[in-house]
């Protein structure tokens, strides 16, 4: 409510600025005129002459010139009385009283947000009533660390949160700082390695591998380092090495370790055990980049088959169908691709929106109609 | 509430400007004093509201209120207070608000101090001023509103462009805008004269000081911008002829011409129509500059596509004001009373020559700026017009101008004696030639034109000195008399002499820097020593440091000359996390007017770093010149007396000249 009161006061002040001169009439104003200027100029010449800035003949010439202009100006000066036209003044007053607020409100209302209060930062930091989102807390921790970059504990806390938020590059920085200020530990090294490979889209790069190797050197039993070293071996195409590493890891692992299933599936992937297979995910696709040709084909083929089976059971997944068709096309199997797209059309035929989405997707894949 | 109150104040300013653009004109037609006086109170109220609006935006930036989109996009809570404030005009919306605030300030000044103006002239001037203001208020509110809000404010802002986080931003844009917008006053006066159909003596008496104020600020603004580019961009260049710089140079050239022609008009009642035209052109070029910089047309012609409303809106304003004013000029100029007459060889004649050269130089820059844009737009052909073009066109024009500068002030009004002036300038000419000879003998390498150019610079400075010597009679009269006369000399005379000398000073700086600068570019590792222009620069080491909102890598250099240790220089590279960008902070060592300049490049894995070291002889003269010019302008401005040009009487020709 105060806001509207302030607006009203401001509007009144603005209106007053227009009305004020309208109310004050009849008073003679001293205003400049041409004659006054020329008279001033004549005085000026006398002063210049007195101080010796100009010589007498020049002063005389100037005087003649200015006097001539003065006479002309005095002759043409309009000796009109200032008039006052009440009608127009009233019009101006109405313009101020009605027009001005109308324009102001008319322009302000569509643009402004009168219901939104100010949010100065100081007040927001004090006020704990506001729900603190995870991101806001991250920002606060980051601010704290910006000021105290040597606070190792802070970096320790920040790293995993950033990793979870998907800010992998920042997570890498946080883990590095944690290492610098908290000292070496296998856990931190392998966390750093994980962040680096996450930033690289799931590929265990040489840089990440170095970190895992360091972690492994610090503690040979560190499960994360072992798992990723196995993954690195798999991505390098050394499936047997990978299987060996993972097998050793499983052998030493406690029975209730939460990461057990993950290692088991990985092991199964490289052909070292018989567990369920993971679905076709972007991460594994990215991981397949570094494999040799034969391995990749085998891996992709296996994943495509699993996807096809899944879609036969549940055909609602348009994205899945498109991925399947794309995969067939990439593998050069155009017939299967066409077959899959026909299956897909049948599967989603009952849902118009899904069908449209599917058809558009197929069009971009070059499988029209 | 601050945000919304600031927003509403801006809206009220628009409403007031709309009233101010109509009511006073009606009053002037009806000769109604009260209606005409509305212009005055509304102009003052406008200033109040725009000022409040601007202060509101500054407060929001200082408080880091990220619920305001403009603050969120351009500020950061960790930024030092100074940059929180300067960041207000470090972005498009805020800088436009600064633009209209300054416009309102000038309007308010005319309203407050315009007592000695004829009432109808003042009403017309303020009405025209309100037209400009209304157009820009609308532009701001519709296309670049700084007060738009974000319903769910983020906790942290996106920070200001790191290049702008510098003291330069505190000074350069406000100066430049005071210059640009200051010319709106002479524009409004010109349009008012055309509307009224008469220019009286009060007109010129008023226009000259306003033009001078604008010119002083523009001069300082351009010089400051150039120095800023020199030390912040890290390349050691101080002028690149890029369109943004040209956009500020063009109004300066036209404004300088206007300044001189307004002088003729005030003193001699001559060149009236030409002064009007120049007033219109100068402000049009200021608007064009605003358009070029603000529409995004500069970075790419296709920037229109990203925000078409903004560019099109400014283009509309531009067409409306430039087209409208020039049409009005075409229609009404013939009805204006012609002024006094003068012989071709006279002070007036010299000023006409000055005007011609300046306007042609301005046209050259305009061509060089717009031609590439037109080519890109019409023929889809990218090209750039750079230093070679301007060296061939702009430089000869300015050489002619500088040759003529010393003659101007020595010529008499109305009819002059060129031969006599040449004789009196003999000493200055000799000084110039001696300088040429000395430089020729002493300098090694460089262009053959350089000594000539330095001689020209000396000639201009000596010419300015001659002017003062002549006026005080230092050689002819006893010293005491001369001193007395020097004291009695109007400050405007000192002002013009200083401003002219400033031209020569700047020229010498430009020539020395471009001809004899030496550079050393290499990768250095710790304890490496570079030898540049007699200086030994040793890299002591690289350090990391944490700033308020950046991390920086500092390189420490020990500088010595002939074995004598001079100083430690610490250039750095700053890394700003929020924007993920970095800046180079060059280190400068000033020795006299010369500077040693070190800026850092990239580091390599082996711990070496790319380093650029320049020695720039007399480089500071480039900026001392404009500062001298501006100081001359201030002196002249402080001289509140009327300017009267006493003509040389016709019969004086027959009289004997006093022996000198």
């Amino acid at each position: 409510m105060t806001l509207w009161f302030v607006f009203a006061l401001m509007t009144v002040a603005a209106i007053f600025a227009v009305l004020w001169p309208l109310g004050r009439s009849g008073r003679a104003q001293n205003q400049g005129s041409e004659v006054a200027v020329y008279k001033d100029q004549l005085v000026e010449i006398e002063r210049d002459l007195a101080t010796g800035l100009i010589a007498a003949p020049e002063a005389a010439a100037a005087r003649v010139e200015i006097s001539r202009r003065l006479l002309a100006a005095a002759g043409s000066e309009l000796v009109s009385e200032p008039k006052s036209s009440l009608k127009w003044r009233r019009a101006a007053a109405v313009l101020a009283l009605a027009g001005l607020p109308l324009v102001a409100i008319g322009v302000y209302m569509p643009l402004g947000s009168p219901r939104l209060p100010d949010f100065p930062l100081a007040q927001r930091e004090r006020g704990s009533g506001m729900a603190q989102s995870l991101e806001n807390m991250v920002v606060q921790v980051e601010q704290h660390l910006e000021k105290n970059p040597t606070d190792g504990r802070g970096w320790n806390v920040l790293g995993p949160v950033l990793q979870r938020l998907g800010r992998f590059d920042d997570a890498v920085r946080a883990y590095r700082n944690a290492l610098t200020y908290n000292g070496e530990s296998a856990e931190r090294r392998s966390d750093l390695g994980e962040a680096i490979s996450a930033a690289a889209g799931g590929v265990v790069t040489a840089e990440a591998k170095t970190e895992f190797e360091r972690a492994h050197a610090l503690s040979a039993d560190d499960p994360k380092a072992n798992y990723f070293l196995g993954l690195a071996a798999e991505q390098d195409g050394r499936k047997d090495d990978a299987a060996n590493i993972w097998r050793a890891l499983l052998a030493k692992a406690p029975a209730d370790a939460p990461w057990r299933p993950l290692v088991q599936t990985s092991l199964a992937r490289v052909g070292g055990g018989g567990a369920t297979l993971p679905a076709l995910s972007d991460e594994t696709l990215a991981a397949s980049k570094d494999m040799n040709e034969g391995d990749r084909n085998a891996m992709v083929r296996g994943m495509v088959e699993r996807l096809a089976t899944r879609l036969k059971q549940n055909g609602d997944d348009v994205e899945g169908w498109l991925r399947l068709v794309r995969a067939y096309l990439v593998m050069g199997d155009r017939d299967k691709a066409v077959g899959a797209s026909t299956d897909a059309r049948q599967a989603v035929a009952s849902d118009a929106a899904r069908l449209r989405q599917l058809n558009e997707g197929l069009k971009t894949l070059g499988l029209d109609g | 509430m601050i945000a919304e109150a600031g927003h509403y104040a801006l809206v009220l300013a628009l409403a007031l400007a709309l009233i101010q653009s109509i009511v006073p004109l009606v009053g002037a037609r009806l000769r109604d004093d009260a209606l005409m006086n509305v212009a005055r109170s509304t102009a003052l109220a406008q200033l109040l509201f725009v000022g409040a609006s601007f202060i509101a935006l500054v407060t929001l930036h200082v408080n880091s209120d990220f619920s305001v989109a403009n603050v969120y996009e351009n500020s950061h809570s960790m930024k030092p207070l100074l940059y929180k404030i300067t960041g207000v005009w470090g972005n498009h919306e805020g800088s436009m608000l600064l633009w209209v605030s300054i416009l309102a300030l000038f309007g308010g000044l005319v309203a407050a101090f315009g007592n000695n103006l004829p009432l109808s002239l003042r009403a017309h001037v303020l009405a025209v001023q309100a037209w400009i203001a209304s157009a820009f208020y609308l532009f701001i509110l519709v296309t670049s509103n700084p007060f738009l809000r974000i319903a769910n404010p983020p906790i942290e802002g996106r920070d200001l462009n790191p290049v702008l986080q510098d003291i330069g931003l505190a000074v350069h844009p406000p100066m430049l805008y005071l210059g640009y917008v200051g010319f709106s006053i002479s524009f409004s006066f010109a349009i008012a004269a055309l509307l009224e159909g008469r220019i009286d003596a009060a007109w010129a008496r008023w226009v000259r000081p306003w033009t001078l104020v604008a010119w002083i600020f523009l001069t300082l603004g351009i010089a400051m911008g150039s120095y800023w580019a020199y030390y912040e961009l890290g390349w050691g260049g101080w002028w690149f002829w890029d369109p943004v710089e040209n956009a500020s140079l063009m109004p300066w050239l036209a404004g300088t011409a206007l300044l001189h022609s307004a002088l003729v008009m005030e003193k001699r009642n001559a060149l009236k129509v030409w002064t009007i035209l120049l007033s219109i052109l100068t402000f049009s070029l200021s608007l064009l500059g605003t358009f070029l910089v603000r529409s995004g047309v500069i970075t790419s012609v296709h920037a229109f596509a990203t925000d078409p409303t903004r560019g099109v809106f400014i283009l509309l304003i531009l067409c409306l004001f430039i087209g409208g004013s020039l049409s009005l000029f075409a229609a009404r100029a013939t009805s204006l009373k012609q002024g006094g007459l003068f012989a071709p060889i006279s002070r007036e004649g010299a000023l006409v020559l000055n005007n011609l050269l300046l306007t042609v130089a301005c046209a050259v820059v305009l061509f060089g700026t717009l031609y590439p844009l037109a080519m890109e737009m019409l023929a889809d052909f990218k090209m750039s017009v750079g230093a070679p073009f301007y060296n061939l066109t702009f430089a000869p024009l300015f050489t002619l101008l500088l040759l003529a500068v010393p003659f101007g002030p020595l010529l008499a009004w109305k009819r002059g004696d060129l031969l006599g002036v040449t004789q009196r300038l003999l000493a200055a000419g000799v000084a110039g030639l001696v300088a040429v000879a000395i430089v020729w003998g002493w300098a090694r390498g460089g262009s053959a034109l350089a000594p000539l150019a330095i001689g020209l610079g000396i000639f201009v400075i000596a010419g300015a000195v001659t002017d003062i010597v002549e006026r005080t009679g230092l050689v002819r009269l006893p010293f005491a008399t001369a001193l007395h006369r020097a004291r009695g000399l109007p400050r405007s005379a000192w002002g013009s002499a200083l401003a002219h000398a400033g031209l020569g000073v700047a020229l010498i700086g430009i020539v020395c820097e471009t001809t004899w600068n030496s550079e050393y570019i290499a990768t250095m590792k710790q304890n490496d020593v570079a030898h540049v222009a007699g200086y030994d620069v040793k890299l002591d080491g690289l350090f990391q440091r944490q700033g308020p909102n950046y991390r920086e890598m500092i390189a420490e250099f020990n500088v010595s000359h002939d074995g004598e240790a001079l100083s430690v220089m610490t250039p750095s590279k700053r890394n700003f996390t929020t924007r993920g960008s970095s800046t180079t902070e060059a280190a400068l060592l000033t020795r006299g007017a010369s500077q040693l300049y070190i800026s850092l490049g990239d580091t390599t894995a082996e711990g070496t770093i790319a380093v650029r070291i320049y020695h720039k002889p007399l480089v500071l003269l480039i900026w001392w010149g404009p500062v001298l010019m501006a100081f001359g302008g201030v002196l002249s401005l402080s001289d509140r007396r009327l300017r009267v040009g006493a003509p040389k009487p016709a019969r004086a020709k027959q009289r004997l000249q006093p022996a000198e």
Side-chain angles (χ1 to χ4, degrees):
Chain A
M1 221 47 227
T2 21
L3 183 68
W4 292 106
F5 183 65
V6 171
F7 281 7
L9 274 185
M10 285 162 74
T11 317
V12 168
I15 293 172
F16 179 71
V18 184
L19 294 185
W20 185 54
L22 292 177
R24 293 180 348 138
S25 58
R27 248 182 59 192
Q29 302 242 340
N30 61 325
Q31 52 164 297
S33 70
E34 209 164 8
V35 175
V37 175
Y38 290 136
K39 280 182 180 157
D40 286 352
Q41 285 192 341
L42 282 174
V43 176
E44 199 62 47
I45 286 179
E46 296 311 321
R47 207 161 58 195
D48 280 358
L49 185 62
T51 50
L53 283 172
I54 49 174
E58 272 139 40
R63 229 176 273 134
V64 169
E65 255 186 16
I66 295 169
S67 308
R68 212 178 287 144
R69 284 185 207 138
L70 177 60
L71 283 176
S76 70
E77 192 108 305
L78 291 162
V79 254
S80 63
E81 277 293 300
K83 294 175 215 156
S84 60
S85 45
L86 225 56
K87 196 179 67 184
W88 281 96
R89 285 189 194 182
R90 280 204 194 109
V94 169
L95 193 64
L97 281 167
L100 196 141
L102 274 182
V103 168
I105 293 297
V107 175
Y108 174 76
M109 282 318 281
L111 294 172
S113 328
R115 269 184 233 144
L116 220 54
D118 283 356
F119 288 101
L121 196 64
Q123 182 195 320
R124 293 168 66 186
E125 278 167 350
R126 241 183 293 118
S128 54
M130 229 169 57
Q132 292 277 37
S133 72
L134 181 63
E135 262 172 74
N136 284 354
M137 283 191 314
V138 169
V139 169
Q140 278 178 6
V141 175
E142 279 180 324
Q143 281 175 2
H144 165 77
L145 288 170
E146 194 82 40
K147 278 183 219 145
N148 312 294
T150 55
D151 179 2
R153 221 174 44 116
W155 291 117
N156 258 357
V157 172
L158 189 61
V161 180
L162 290 174
Q163 175 91 0
R164 207 162 307 144
L165 286 174
R167 290 168 58 187
F168 301 123
D169 288 320
D170 293 328
V172 169
R173 197 163 60 83
Y175 283 129
R176 273 196 213 288
N177 284 324
L179 272 168
T180 315
Y181 301 117
N182 292 332
E184 291 278 317
S185 92
E187 213 170 293
R188 284 186 205 115
R189 281 286 169 200
S190 45
D191 281 346
L192 173 59
E194 186 185 9
I196 294 173
S197 50
V203 178
V204 183
T205 58
E207 196 188 356
K209 202 176 159 197
T210 320
E211 299 300 336
F212 293 125
E213 276 161 359
R214 279 190 197 149
H216 186 70
L218 285 167
S219 154
D221 288 341
D222 185 59
K224 196 180 267 178
N226 277 312
Y227 167 72
F228 274 96
L229 284 173
L231 192 61
E234 186 198 350
Q235 289 176 0
D236 287 348
R238 296 178 284 114
K239 282 193 174 185
D240 293 343
D241 291 355
N244 287 339
I245 294 172
W246 283 333
R247 250 183 236 120
L249 179 59
L250 283 175
K252 264 184 259 174
D256 58 344
W259 38 262
R260 229 171 200 289
L262 175 71
V263 180
Q264 275 164 347
T265 42
S266 305
L267 188 58
R269 193 171 61 228
V270 292
T276 47
L277 294 166
L280 182 64
S281 75
D282 287 335
E283 223 176 75
T284 36
L285 266 182
S288 71
K289 268 185 209 153
D290 280 10
M291 296 177 170
N292 66 37
E293 196 64 29
D295 288 341
R296 180 161 48 212
N297 279 347
M299 175 181 149
V300 169
R301 231 170 269 280
M303 286 194 270
V304 169
E305 271 158 33
R306 282 194 298 280
L307 182 59
T309 328
R310 182 162 68 79
L311 286 171
K312 271 208 185 98
Q313 286 153 7
N314 174 18
D316 280 346
D317 182 6
V318 174
E319 286 298 334
W321 281 114
L322 289 173
R323 213 182 311 167
L324 182 67
V325 173
R326 196 184 304 127
Y328 280 135
L329 285 173
V330 170
M331 280 153 54
D333 214 339
R334 196 177 172 81
D335 288 343
K336 273 196 178 169
V338 174
S341 60
T342 323
D343 288 349
R345 284 220 181 84
Q346 282 169 358
V348 299
S350 54
D351 189 332
R354 286 221 177 92
L355 187 59
R356 188 152 22 86
Q357 191 193 347
L358 178 76
N359 281 334
E360 273 167 15
L362 288 175
K363 212 176 275 176
T364 57
L365 288 174
L367 273 183
D368 212 351
Chain B
M1 199 179 81
I2 297 175
E4 295 308 314
H7 197 167
Y8 190 69
L10 191 61
V11 173
L12 275 181
L14 167 69
L16 281 169
L18 288 174
I19 289 181
Q20 189 188 328
S21 33
I22 306 161
V23 172
L25 288 183
V26 175
R29 279 280 161 278
L30 302 170
R31 310 204 57 76
D32 184 315
D33 282 1
L35 286 176
M36 285 195 270
N37 272 329
V38 167
R40 190 176 197 187
S41 58
T42 44
L44 289 169
Q46 227 194 94
L47 172 61
L48 183 79
F49 285 118
V50 180
S53 173
F54 186 74
I55 290 169
L57 190 61
V58 173
T59 317
L60 292 170
H61 271 260
V62 169
N63 288 346
S64 297
D65 187 336
F66 296 123
S67 70
V68 177
N70 182 261
V71 181
Y72 162 66
E73 274 157 20
N74 300 291
S75 195
H76 191 279
S77 61
M78 310 288 286
K79 216 164 50 164
L81 180 66
L82 175 68
Y83 302 146
K84 278 186 187 167
I85 296 173
T86 58
V88 172
W89 53 83
N91 61 80
H92 170 76
E93 289 84 1
S95 76
M96 287 317 295
L97 189 61
L98 178 68
W99 205 96
V100 290
S101 306
I102 292 175
L103 189 70
L105 175 70
F106 278 109
L109 287 176
V110 171
F113 301 108
N115 289 326
N116 53 357
L117 277 175
L119 200 56
S120 75
L121 179 59
R122 191 173 75 197
H124 275 107
V125 168
L126 288 174
V128 177
Q129 198 77 8
W131 298 350
I132 305 170
S134 309
F136 277 92
Y137 291 143
L138 267 181
F139 170 69
I140 292 180
L141 287 168
V142 174
T143 71
S144 12
N145 196 325
F147 291 106
L148 293 184
R149 308 291 297 274
I150 305 174
N152 293 310
I155 197 88
E156 192 48 273
R158 295 225 298 249
D159 209 356
L160 181 67
N161 183 353
V163 175
L164 298 178
Q165 294 194 22
D166 185 271
I167 185 77
L169 185 65
V171 188
H172 169 63
M175 286 269 189
L176 207 58
Y177 280 11
L178 279 167
Y180 276 167
V181 180
F183 286 124
S184 72
I185 296 288
S186 40
F187 173 82
S188 298
F189 269 87
I191 299 298
L194 289 171
L195 287 175
E196 280 198 299
R198 58 195 284 267
I199 322 176
D200 51 29
W203 195 93
R205 186 182 177 179
W206 258 80
V207 166
R208 190 203 29 91
W210 287 108
T211 313
L212 191 54
V213 169
W215 180 87
I216 291 170
F217 281 116
L218 193 57
T219 308
L220 287 175
I222 295 175
M224 178 68 218
S226 155
Y227 189 66
W228 189 16
Y230 166 75
Y231 74 72
E232 179 72 26
L233 295 183
W235 285 102
W238 43 271
W239 192 264
F240 301 93
W241 291 111
D242 84 33
V244 179
E245 287 172 325
N246 290 349
S248 65
L249 183 64
M250 288 187 285
W252 187 83
L253 291 169
T256 313
L258 172 62
L259 191 65
H260 288 90
S261 80
L263 199 74
V264 176
M265 189 166 158
E266 184 184 9
K267 285 192 167 186
R268 300 290 308 149
N269 224 14
L271 296 186
K272 286 180 175 178
V273 177
W274 172 242
T275 307
I276 297 263
L277 180 60
L278 265 184
S279 306
I280 294 175
L281 288 181
T282 306
F283 186 60
S284 300
L285 288 167
S286 296
L287 281 181
L288 183 71
T290 310
F291 165 70
L292 286 179
V293 179
R294 286 285 141 237
S295 64
V297 74
I298 283 279
T299 41
S300 161
V301 177
H302 311 291
F304 268 111
T306 54
D307 191 356
T309 39
R310 221 173 249 180
V312 169
F313 204 117
I314 303 197
L315 195 61
L316 270 179
I317 295 180
L318 202 68
C319 292
L320 192 70
F321 280 99
I322 300 182
S325 57
L326 287 180
S327 318
L328 187 66
F329 178 80
R332 301 298 290 269
T334 43
S335 67
L336 292 173
K337 213 166 36 171
Q338 291 293 328
L341 301 171
F342 52 86
I345 304 272
S346 63
R347 183 93 70 98
E348 293 98 319
L351 287 164
V352 169
L353 178 68
N354 144 308
N355 272 222
L356 276 179
L357 289 171
L358 281 170
T359 37
V360 173
C362 183
V364 163
V365 178
L366 184 66
F367 177 79
T369 311
L370 293 186
Y371 184 68
L373 287 178
M375 284 304 281
E376 197 181 335
M377 199 128 44
L378 300 176
D380 208 21
F381 166 66
K382 257 193 187 300
M383 62 177 296
S384 65
V385 171
F389 167 77
Y390 294 101
N391 286 345
L392 275 177
T393 51
F394 189 78
L397 282 169
F398 242 73
T399 310
L400 270 181
L401 182 67
L402 288 173
L403 274 176
V405 158
F407 288 89
L410 290 173
L411 281 165
W413 291 107
K414 201 164 182 180
R415 45 185 83 78
D417 174 12
L418 195 58
L419 195 64
V421 172
T422 315
Q423 281 168 357
R424 280 185 283 170
L425 277 175
L426 214 54
V430 170
L433 287 177
V434 169
V436 172
I438 291 176
V439 175
W440 217 306
W442 174 76
R444 295 167 301 276
S447 158
L449 284 175
L452 290 176
I454 288 186
L456 179 61
I458 297 286
F459 173 61
V460 172
I461 298 172
V465 173
T466 311
D467 181 29
I468 292 293
V469 168
E470 281 290 326
R471 279 167 192 258
T472 54
L474 191 63
V475 189
R476 291 177 274 130
L477 303 170
F479 185 71
T481 326
L483 200 64
H484 178 72
R485 287 181 59 147
R487 220 174 282 134
L489 208 60
R491 281 195 294 276
S492 61
W494 286 104
S496 70
L498 280 179
H500 288 167
L503 272 176
V505 171
L507 176 68
I508 293 174
I510 291 170
V511 172
C512 285
E513 197 278 326
T514 47
T515 313
W516 292 292
N517 88 59
S518 41
E519 65 177 28
Y520 172 95
I521 302 177
T523 49
M524 294 177 77
K525 56 180 185 295
Q526 197 163 3
N527 294 330
D528 273 3
V529 180
H531 306 279
V532 186
Y535 292 93
D536 299 321
V537 183
K538 179 166 152 256
L539 177 60
D540 278 349
L542 300 172
F543 308 94
Q544 297 283 337
R545 198 171 65 185
Q546 176 73 32
N549 55 343
Y550 56 84
R551 250 180 294 283
E552 68 179 342
M553 187 192 60
I554 301 175
E556 203 178 275
F557 291 90
N558 245 314
V559 184
S560 55
H561 191 254
D562 294 335
E564 172 202 357
L566 284 178
S567 158
V568 175
M569 292 173 76
T570 51
S572 66
K573 272 179 92 80
R574 289 185 183 165
N575 219 321
F576 291 78
T577 23
T578 315
R579 287 232 173 185
S581 58
S582 58
T583 61
T584 54
E585 301 290 315
L588 301 171
L589 175 67
T590 306
R591 300 253 293 159
S594 308
Q595 279 190 329
L596 200 63
Y597 181 113
I598 306 183
S599 109
L600 299 179
D602 295 324
T603 45
T604 60
E606 298 89 58
T608 62
I609 185 160
V611 175
R612 287 191 296 274
I613 305 176
Y614 304 91
H615 178 252
K616 296 181 170 289
L618 297 188
V619 66
L620 285 180
L621 292 187
I622 298 175
W623 300 290
W624 287 353
V627 169
L628 203 59
M629 284 186 229
F631 180 66
V634 171
L635 269 187
S636 176
L637 191 66
S638 72
D639 190 354
R640 297 287 299 138
R641 303 167 342 131
L642 276 178
R643 309 290 204 268
V644 189
K648 191 168 186 178
R651 59 191 146 77
K653 262 191 178 161
Q654 279 89 45
R655 293 194 320 160
L656 280 173
Q657 291 281 329
E660 294 191 36

